Amino acid sequence: MDAIQDEAIGKRARGLDRAFEILDFLRQKRQALKPNEIAAQIGAPRSSVYELVNLLLSNGILEFTGGEGRVYLGRKLYFLGAAYENHFDFTRECEAALEQLADETRETAQFCMLDGNKYTVVRMREGARPFRISTDIGQSVPIPWTASGRLLVAHLSDQEILNFIPSQDFRLPNGEWLDPQSFIVEVRQAEREGVFTFNSIVDSFTHCFAVPVRGEEGHAAATLCLVTPRDDGIANRERYLDCLKKAAAGLEHAPARPKRG
């Protein structure tokens, strides 16, 4: 009997893992897809994907959209996210910090975190410049492509970093490869200095700044960033870093603090 119960529990756990895989896949694709397309692209049995999609549809986690049986993330996920944000003061503090950074520097300010083994922008406030730089919130980006990535993995050992980051993520947008050992050298530099800045390797006209927002364990749980036109960023480097450090200090340990009743 215990063996049967354990098998049933294991099957439910695998189903839950697969359901989260479907949701995360749709989030990354950012488009509605048919269940058979989802199954093919995540390498899962079509029967189990259809079963899970129907279950998620019945609970409002997925919704039909775009015709021909295509599904995408449902509005219930928005309400769940809103409930999470309502529970924590941190969201409001983060928005205030980004607004202050954008006002002080006139540059695009971002709050960034790891999402699994990828980097993502969680919050953003565009600057006041006529020429604006923006990034899709929630889009997964390879860690080596970003200034923040050097800080977000700095608590890991060299080998842990290499194990954590998929090898293909060292291939840059222009098709060139970033040497993993060179990346690790930059990680250790960021760890020593507590900041990382560089000319973006994603485009040719921006300069990126990142400072850590440290969690209770002392390492970077998130980062605050500025994305600036290259010449302006280099010219204002020290002032921009001062602004970032002050804003990050105000957010230290804030992610774990729930709202007071």
Side-chain angles (χ1 to χ4, degrees), residues 163-182:
N163 293 341
F164 180 63
I165 298 176
S167 58
Q168 65 269 22
D169 284 5
F170 289 97
R171 186 181 179 92
L172 303 178
N174 63 4
E176 296 180 0
W177 287 88
L178 174 63
D179 176 29
Q181 293 303 321
S182 297

Side-chain angles (χ1 to χ4, degrees), residues 144-165:
W145 296 10
T146 68
S148 290
R150 275 78 174 162
L151 293 162
L152 291 168
V153 298
H155 63 289
L156 301 175
S157 70
D158 293 359
Q159 189 59 53
E160 286 173 335
I161 290 172
L162 296 177
N163 293 341
F164 180 63
I165 298 176

Side-chain angles (χ1 to χ4, degrees), residues 175-246:
E176 296 180 0
W177 287 88
L178 174 63
D179 176 29
Q181 293 303 321
S182 297
F183 174 76
I184 288 175
V185 169
E186 293 177 341
V187 168
R188 298 307 166 213
Q189 174 191 340
E191 185 178 25
R192 289 192 305 271
E193 298 178 358
V195 303
F196 193 79
T197 73
F198 72 164
N199 290 330
S200 173
I201 55 180
V202 177
D203 59 58
S204 59
F205 56 87
T206 60
H207 193 78
C208 303
F209 297 78
V211 302
V213 178
R214 302 189 186 278
E216 294 181 350
E217 295 180 354
H219 59 72
T223 59
L224 281 176
C225 312
L226 288 176
V227 184
T228 76
R230 184 169 292 187
D231 291 343
D232 292 334
I234 293 172
N236 293 282
R237 183 178 190 276
E238 296 308 318
R239 183 170 72 85
Y240 286 178
L241 284 175
D242 284 344
C243 292
L244 280 168
K245 290 176 182 178
K246 289 177 183 176

Side-chain angles (χ1 to χ4, degrees), residues 4-20 51-52 55:
I4 295 174
Q5 289 179 338
D6 289 345
E7 183 179 353
I9 292 171
K11 184 176 180 180
R12 286 196 296 271
R14 289 191 296 273
L16 186 59
D17 286 341
R18 183 71 77 187
F20 280 118
E51 181 181 356
L52 287 167
L55 180 62

